[in-house]
Amino acid sequence: METMFDRLLANKHYRRVQSFVSGEIWLLGAIAGASGLLLAFLSIADEVLEGETEAFDKAILMLFRDPANVDRVIGPEWVHEMIRDITALGSFSLLGLIVIGVCAYLVMVRLKSAALLLVISVIGGTLLSTFLKMGYNRPRPDLTAMSQQFTASFPSGHAMLSAVTFLTIGAVLARLAPTRNLKIFSIGSAVFLTLIVGFSRLYMGVHFPSDILAGWCLGAAWAMLCSAIAFKLQKTGAVEEPAEQTTQGESVEAK
């Protein structure tokens, strides 16, 4: 005897929905993740405007300061120099050089559209970060910092742009990687670089923790959205598919 569940499974509309969800699971997951991160950013921004993060921001910043002299950063000078080197990974100039290098590689392996999408992702993220800084116009922490700053504090440009750049590049490299372990390594390395750049800004005292969290959320959301668009364009043929790898390590064109 046919049950209601059997009739549901046989329904053509149900089969269409099931086919769409199973075929677009990665796209739907990326959109859901980006939406969640965007909501997190808006929540942080709302609390910053209302001054509700003040106690949290101060408590975290003081972890990196000498209790006897808040203008003195903890740790020896060689650690300070190492932190400056790490924070440079999120600078506009160094990120620009990294993007140029990755785009040159993508062009050489005949993935010109992927290179263009990477450029659009990074430039778009940069413009978004700049406009948000101008809009919120939050002052920097009132501490002696380890470097000179020229823009507003919220959201952290280093945290956001490192998330946009490294996570987008990580997603591209994961698509090119021939094995699952290499895919995980690509994404993991991108996440690690994003995190240490943000932590370096806290150590230096140039950002509030809420600035960093907001930058991470928005940067990751932007990178996920751009990756989802690239994935969709690949499926429609508007963007080149990465070459498949044979067991001998030779590359062949994806069918």
Side-chain angles (χ1 to χ4, degrees):
M1 181 177 179
E2 187 180 29
T3 64
M4 182 180 296
F5 182 70
D6 293 329
R7 290 196 296 271
L8 174 63
L9 293 178
N11 185 276
K12 65 178 182 180
H13 299 296
Y14 172 82
R15 291 200 303 269
R16 287 178 181 176
V17 172
Q18 184 185 40
S19 176
F20 173 78
V21 171
S22 60
E24 305 291 345
I25 186 67
W26 294 109
L27 176 63
L28 295 174
I31 293 175
S35 299
L37 289 167
L38 179 59
L39 288 176
F41 167 80
L42 293 174
S43 177
I44 294 171
D46 183 61
E47 292 185 358
V48 166
L49 290 176
E50 295 178 358
E52 296 179 1
T53 64
E54 184 176 352
F56 167 75
D57 286 334
K58 183 177 180 180
I60 298 299
L61 281 176
M62 290 303 103
L63 294 177
F64 303 98
R65 297 282 160 163
D66 185 346
N69 182 8
V70 295
D71 287 329
R72 179 177 174 80
V73 182
I74 62 173
E77 288 299 323
W78 66 267
V79 172
H80 298 176
E81 191 63 28
M82 182 179 66
I83 293 297
R84 292 189 188 94
D85 292 339
I86 292 174
T87 206
L89 292 172
S91 66
F92 182 78
S93 56
L94 189 53
L95 288 176
L97 291 173
I98 293 172
V99 169
I100 290 173
V102 173
C103 285
Y105 170 79
L106 292 174
V107 169
M108 287 189 289
V109 296
R110 300 179 182 178
L111 293 175
K112 295 180 181 180
S113 296
L116 179 60
L117 282 171
L118 174 58
V119 171
I120 293 174
S121 174
V122 173
I123 292 178
T126 301
L127 293 175
L128 181 60
S129 174
T130 301
F131 291 145
L132 288 173
K133 280 180 174 289
M134 294 171 60
Y136 287 103
N137 197 30
R138 187 187 194 185
R140 297 273 178 171
D142 187 20
L143 295 170
T144 300
M146 292 169 56
S147 65
Q148 189 173 4
Q149 306 301 312
F150 305 96
T151 60
S153 189
F154 186 90
S156 167
H158 275 65
M160 180 177 173
L161 294 182
S162 61
V164 169
T165 304
F166 293 134
L167 294 180
T168 302
I169 291 175
V172 171
L173 294 179
R175 292 285 293 164
L176 294 172
T179 66
R180 183 178 181 181
N181 286 341
L182 287 176
K183 294 178 187 295
I184 294 174
F185 175 78
S186 299
I187 297 298
S189 297
V191 172
F192 174 73
L193 290 172
T194 299
L195 292 177
I196 62 172
V197 169
F199 284 126
S200 73
R201 305 303 283 173
L202 287 179
Y203 189 99
M204 294 175 66
V206 295
H207 274 296
F208 296 103
S210 51
D211 300 335
I212 306 297
L213 292 174
W216 279 340
C217 288
L218 192 57
W222 184 261
M224 291 183 70
L225 180 61
C226 291
S227 297
I229 293 174
F231 177 75
K232 183 63 177 178
L233 292 176
Q234 281 183 343
K235 293 194 68 174
T236 60
V239 174
E240 306 96 340
E241 287 279 358
E244 295 179 352
Q245 301 292 323
T246 66
T247 55
Q248 289 78 21
E250 299 173 350
S251 110
V252 295
E253 291 298 325
K255 296 181 180 181

